[in-house]
Amino acid sequence: MLAAYDGHVLVDWSWVADHGDEIVSRLREHAVLLGWSMVLALLFAIPLALVSVGRRRVYGTVLATTGILYTIPSLAAFSLLLPYTGQSRLTAIIPLAAYSLLILVRNIVTGLEHVPTEVQDAATGLGYSRRRKLWQVDVPLALPTIVAGIRIAVVTTIGLISVSALIGQGGLGALMTDGFEKDFYTPLVVGVVLTVMFAFAADALLLATQKLLTPWARRSATR
């Protein structure tokens, strides 16, 4: 056992051993909420970004709208949705996805707009259609910036998911809430530590995926 400054037990390893199934279940819930919220966010962010590229007025409107969504407190968002979706997983997923839109749209647009003009001209000269050039030239070259946005959104969302424990959909946040309510540090510490570890692992996985998908970026960095 580890003791806290006030004499309370900080980590009771016997509790951890006895509640292993619950901890794994909460971690799985956290991962499911993350997965669905990011899928929903990308389903909206990608078309919004594609419409915004090269259209400054549209882009400004999209950024303003997603910026407003980003500033809505999570508890207020949950409260607004509860009459329509109840204490369901959807009540947590919708706000979590909305909070990611600003980051995702901005990074996708930035990545696409910074593809070198000479590369785009070369693709056009080779007879690439607009759609083919987008998916075979622009998107691959913009991947580092796009993935950087996804990494920020994922890490941020992993932290925000814990708040949804207040509506019964909190994943690891449920452990933290349980610790607060019972004045028992162990589930609180376990929830916090696993949330941080989950964020680090997800970020490392996305970075590794980016390097795998963009080998040319690795080669140019070593020159």
Side-chain angles (χ1 to χ4, degrees):
M1 296 183 184
L2 294 177
Y5 70 93
D6 58 358
H8 282 68
V9 174
L10 189 61
V11 179
D12 183 344
W13 294 108
S14 63
W15 182 94
V16 176
D18 292 340
H19 292 77
D21 291 342
E22 180 186 356
I23 293 170
V24 172
S25 177
R26 294 303 185 186
L27 181 59
R28 188 183 300 116
E29 289 175 6
H30 215 95
V32 169
L33 286 169
L34 173 66
W36 280 114
S37 61
M38 291 309 302
V39 167
L40 182 60
L42 286 168
L43 284 175
F44 280 89
I46 291 173
L48 285 173
L50 293 179
V51 169
S52 300
V53 174
R55 300 180 177 91
R56 306 313 300 178
R57 183 174 297 179
V58 174
Y59 185 37
T61 302
V62 170
L63 282 184
T65 304
T66 54
I68 291 172
L69 292 175
Y70 190 79
T71 61
I72 298 175
S74 54
L75 291 180
F78 296 151
S79 299
L80 290 172
L81 288 171
L82 279 173
Y84 306 100
T85 54
Q87 287 185 310
S88 66
R89 186 173 290 169
L90 194 60
T91 305
I93 290 172
I94 292 174
L96 292 171
Y99 293 142
S100 298
L101 287 178
L102 176 63
I103 300 168
L104 293 174
V105 170
R106 189 163 51 193
N107 276 63
I108 294 172
V109 171
T110 300
L112 293 175
E113 289 187 341
H114 283 77
V115 174
T117 304
E118 58 271 21
V119 174
Q120 298 190 30
D121 292 341
T124 302
L126 290 171
Y128 278 55
S129 65
R130 185 175 179 180
R131 179 174 298 180
R132 185 184 177 193
K133 182 171 72 68
L134 172 66
W135 295 110
Q136 295 187 10
V137 178
D138 296 347
V139 169
L141 290 177
L143 265 182
T145 304
I146 294 173
V147 174
I150 295 175
R151 288 170 60 193
I152 296 171
V154 164
V155 171
T156 302
T157 302
I158 288 174
L160 287 172
I161 287 172
S162 300
V163 182
S164 59
L166 298 175
I167 58 168
Q169 297 292 331
L172 294 171
L175 296 176
M176 303 179 205
T177 303
D178 188 49
F180 275 121
E181 291 177 348
K182 296 179 179 178
D183 193 24
F184 180 41
Y185 288 162
T186 299
L188 173 61
V189 172
V190 170
V192 171
V193 170
L194 286 180
T195 299
V196 173
M197 291 176 63
F198 187 18
F200 271 109
D203 187 61
L205 179 60
L206 286 169
L207 181 58
T209 302
Q210 174 192 321
K211 291 181 178 179
L212 183 65
L213 294 175
T214 58
W216 61 86
R218 284 204 312 275
R219 289 196 294 268
S220 62
T222 58
R223 291 177 184 174

